[in-house]
Amino acid sequence: MEAQRTKPSLLIRGGTVVNDDRKFRADVYCEDGVIVQVGTDLNVQADRVVDATDKFVMPGGIDPHTHLQLPFMGTVAADDFDIGSLAALSGGTTMFIDFVIPQKGQSLLAAYDQWREWAKPKVHCDYSFHVAVTWWSPQVSEEMGVLTRERGVNSFKMFMAYKNVFMLRDDEMLEAFGRCKELGALAQVHAENGDLIHEGQKKMLALGITGPEGHVMSRPEEVEMEATVRAITLANRVNTPLYVVHVMSRGAADAIADARTKGKLVFGEPIAAGLGTDGSHCWHHNWRHAAAYVMGPTLSPDPTVKETLMRMLAGGQLQTVGTDNCTFNANQKAMGKDDFTKIPNGVNGIEDRMSVVWSFGVAKGILTPQQFVGAVSSNVARIFNIYPRKGRISVGSDADIVVWDPEAERVISKDTHHHAVDFNIFEGMKVKGVAIVTITHGEVVWENNQLIPRKGHGQFIPRACFGPVFDNVEARDKAQDERLRKVEREPYSGPVFDPTANK
C-alpha cells in the first residue's frame, strides 16, 4: 500500500542542476519535502510543476552567519526571525545559522532556550544556532557539553573584541578551544585585537574624531590580522579546527591562506558586505549614510580588497560566504551621533548575498557556478555537518532548492528589499543573477517576485559533533605526539649546584 503523502509533490522540469562538483541537465522530483528522483525527462505525475528551462537548479543557500533579533548595544536588531527569514527566501537562501550570544555571566543554556523561543514561532525557513562563549568558568564548560549532547549545537564562537563585554583572554580561549576539541565542536572566532581597538577608540575621541570614520580608523587592518594569526596559533597548539568569521581584510585572509598552506586546520568566511562594497562609505558627508556601514570588523576602506577576497574564495583559501546580517534603523544608529563607539555595529546582507556573490564572482569570471554553490551552500553544509541533507541536489537531500536565472538583473534598493531596515548598503547596485523560485521542504515560497509566507514553517536543524572538519584530528594528534621526540638517556649523575650553600 502506498504511503500517504503529507505535502504536495513537486517536479522541477527542464533545468540544469548545479552542485558544487558538477552541473548537468536534469529534472528534480520531490515528495514530502525530500528529493526522491533526479534524472533526465522524468516520467512522473506531480501536484505542482516548475518550469526551469534555461535556468539553474541549485541547492538553497545557507547563510552561516546571521544576527536576527539580536539585543546589542542598547537596542535590538531591526530584522527579527520573521522578517529576516522572509528576506533570506526572497534572495534564494533557505537556511541560516544564527548566533546565541549570552551576556557575560549568563547561562549558555538559558540564552539558547531564549533564542529558540524567539525563533520557533516566526521562522519561514530552516535554521540552526551557533552559541557564543562570552565568559569562561566550569559552568560554561559543562553547559557546552549539554548543548552538544542535547540541543544540537556543534559550534561555539569566541570573541577577541568587545573588551569588557564579550571578549575572552588568551588563556580562556585556549581552554575553550580545548573543550571544543573534546566535544568535537567547531571553534569559531571574531578575530580583532580588543585591547588595540579600545585604545584606538580612546585616541580617536581624544582627537575630536567622533564620526563613523573614527570607527574605521580605530581598528585598522593590522588589528584583525594580528588577532587572526593569534587565534590560528592557539587553535593549532590545541590541534582543533578553527573557523574565522567575517574575514574582512587582505591581511587576515592572507594569514588564513598561509596557515592552510602549512597544513593548519582553519576555515575562512568573508561576507557579502566585504565582497560587494567597502568601508570608504564611512567618510561620506551624510552622517546617516556613513553610519550605515559601521560594523565590526570594519569594511576595508580599500576598494580593491573585495576582489582579492573573491579570488581567494575561487582559489580555496577561503571557504564560505556569510552576511553577519544585523540591521539597525537610522534612529538606532543615531545613538552614536556624537560618539562613533555608540553606533550599533551591523549591516544587511541575508537577502542580497547570493546575487552579490554571483555578480562579483561568477559574472566576472572569477567563480564557476559550481564554486558559487560551494561558497553559498555546500561548503557551509559540510563544515557544519549537515551535508548532504542540506547543500546538495541529490536523492535523499532536503527539497530546499532555488531556481536561479543567471542572466536576470535587478537593482537593489531599500524601497524594494524585504528587510525591516530603512537603508541598504548595496543601494542602487545592479546585480546579475536572481532567484526566481525558492523552495523549502518541497513547497514554493518565492515566485514571480512574491513571497508566500509560511510563518513557523521552518524547522530547527540539529548538527552532530565530530563532523568532517575533525576527520584527521586524531591522526594529527598521533603524528604530533611530543612523546615520539622524547630522548631516552641515562640519568645525570654529576655535581649539582646548590644556590643556598653560601647563604
Side-chain angles (χ1 to χ4, degrees):
M1 184 176 178
E2 184 179 350
Q4 184 69 36
R5 291 204 305 263
T6 59
K7 294 180 181 178
S9 58
L10 174 73
L11 175 65
I12 305 169
R13 174 174 287 155
T16 298
V17 170
V18 185
N19 283 318
D20 68 320
D21 56 352
R22 63 186 290 233
K23 62 176 180 171
F24 55 99
R25 160 74 178 82
D27 301 336
V28 180
Y29 178 63
C30 312
E31 288 183 355
D32 289 331
V34 176
I35 298 171
V36 294
Q37 290 189 58
V38 179
T40 55
D41 303 320
L42 294 179
N43 184 19
V44 294
Q45 295 296 316
D47 298 313
R48 173 74 193 276
V49 177
V50 172
D51 181 9
T53 303
D54 298 326
K55 307 298 188 293
F56 289 144
V57 179
M58 306 187 296
I62 307 171
D63 188 339
H65 188 157
T66 66
H67 297 288
L68 303 180
Q69 207 168 317
L70 175 68
F72 187 52
M73 297 182 72
T75 185
V76 178
D79 289 336
D80 65 1
F81 287 99
D82 175 11
I83 297 299
S85 58
L86 286 173
L89 291 170
S90 68
T93 290
T94 56
M95 180 179 171
F96 60 88
I97 312 180
D98 205 83
F99 284 86
V100 173
I101 304 186
Q103 296 299 308
K104 190 175 287 290
Q106 183 185 12
S107 161
L108 273 61
L109 295 174
Y112 171 91
D113 290 343
Q114 176 65 78
W115 255 259
R116 284 292 302 272
E117 183 180 321
W118 287 336
K120 185 176 180 179
K122 294 183 177 181
V123 286
H124 299 259
C125 64
D126 289 354
Y127 68 105
S128 197
F129 284 123
H130 314 287
V131 176
V133 175
T134 56
W135 60 294
W136 189 250
S137 73
Q139 175 189 337
V140 171
S141 179
E142 175 57 32
E143 289 186 344
M144 289 171 69
V146 176
L147 287 165
T148 58
R149 293 189 302 270
E150 302 175 11
R151 306 289 209 279
V153 173
N154 74 357
S155 47
F156 294 94
K157 175 182 176 182
M158 278 58 76
F159 287 91
M160 303 173 78
Y162 300 112
K163 185 174 181 178
N164 301 321
V165 181
F166 298 141
M167 179 177 141
L168 295 186
R169 302 187 310 267
D170 283 3
D171 61 317
E172 294 172 324
M173 279 184 41
L174 201 59
E175 289 195 59
F177 286 177
R179 183 59 168 151
C180 284
K181 182 180 180 180
E182 290 174 0
L183 297 170
L186 182 58
Q188 302 171 286
V189 287
H190 173 136
E192 289 184 288
N193 186 311
D195 290 317
L196 290 179
I197 291 170
H198 186 68
E199 293 305 312
Q201 290 173 331
K202 290 193 295 184
K203 177 182 178 181
M204 292 303 114
L205 294 175
L207 292 173
I209 302 172
T210 61
E213 70 278 10
H215 175 78
V216 181
M217 290 190 285
S218 70
R219 51 215 301 164
E221 176 177 334
E222 61 187 357
V223 165
E224 183 187 7
M225 179 177 66
E226 183 278 332
T228 301
V229 171
R230 181 157 41 99
I232 292 170
T233 302
L234 292 172
N236 188 61
R237 292 302 301 157
V238 175
N239 188 31
T240 198
L242 179 70
Y243 183 95
V244 183
V245 303
H246 48 40
V247 178
M248 305 297 283
S249 66
R250 188 179 281 112
D254 284 344
I256 292 168
D258 179 64
R260 288 177 62 84
T261 300
K262 294 174 180 175
K264 296 177 182 178
L265 299 176
V266 58
F267 305 91
E269 170 208 271
I271 64 172
L275 296 169
T277 187
D278 60 71
S280 64
H281 289 273
C282 288
W283 277 264
H284 198 282
H285 284 281
N286 179 286
W287 188 92
R288 169 60 181 118
H289 181 105
Y293 293 82
V294 168
M295 65 169 298
T298 63
L299 286 160
S300 174
D302 179 352
T304 68
V305 167
K306 54 183 176 286
E307 182 171 323
T308 297
L309 297 177
M310 189 70 76
R311 292 192 180 279
M312 294 180 80
L313 271 175
Q317 294 101 331
L318 301 174
Q319 288 68 49
T320 65
V321 178
T323 60
D324 199 9
N325 192 100
C326 188
T327 57
F328 299 98
N329 284 311
N331 62 339
Q332 294 173 295
K333 291 274 187 176
M335 292 193 298
K337 64 184 180 63
D338 301 315
D339 179 351
F340 68 84
T341 68
K342 294 181 172 59
I343 301 173
N345 289 199
V347 298
N348 62 282
I350 198 170
E351 178 173 351
D352 302 315
R353 176 183 69 123
M354 291 176 66
S355 287
V356 165
V357 176
W358 189 274
S359 291
F360 287 89
V362 183
K364 289 191 173 185
I366 298 173
L367 299 177
T368 66
Q370 295 95 313
Q371 288 173 321
F372 169 82
V373 169
V376 302
S377 184
S378 304
N379 293 346
V380 181
R382 284 192 181 91
I383 289 170
F384 293 104
N385 204 21
I386 50 175
Y387 183 89
R389 178 180 179 181
K390 304 289 187 183
R392 190 163 185 84
I393 302 295
S394 184
V395 172
S397 297
D398 284 357
D400 289 356
I401 301 168
V402 58
V403 179
W404 189 262
D405 189 336
E407 299 301 323
E409 296 181 336
R410 66 183 179 93
V411 177
I412 297 173
S413 173
K414 65 178 176 58
D415 297 325
T416 54
H417 70 198
H418 297 84
H419 293 276
V421 70
D422 57 7
F423 194 95
N424 192 306
I425 61 169
F426 307 114
E427 184 70 34
M429 184 183 294
K430 180 185 283 189
V431 289
K432 189 173 187 177
V434 175
I436 59 169
V437 179
T438 306
I439 298 158
T440 66
H441 299 179
E443 298 184 69
V444 173
V445 291
W446 167 257
E447 187 179 31
N448 300 321
N449 291 320
Q450 295 294 321
L451 284 160
I452 305 167
R454 297 280 197 279
K455 195 170 184 178
H457 168 87
Q459 298 176 3
F460 176 80
I461 305 299
R463 296 172 293 121
C465 290
F466 292 103
V469 296
F470 278 86
D471 280 354
N472 66 343
V473 168
E474 184 178 355
R476 287 166 59 94
D477 276 341
K478 290 178 180 177
Q480 297 170 7
D481 189 338
E482 287 86 351
R483 289 171 296 185
L484 298 174
R485 301 174 61 194
K486 180 182 178 182
V487 176
E488 297 295 341
R489 55 170 66 91
E490 292 295 321
Y492 177 78
S493 59
V496 178
F497 174 74
D498 182 359
T500 65
N502 296 323
K503 290 186 178 180

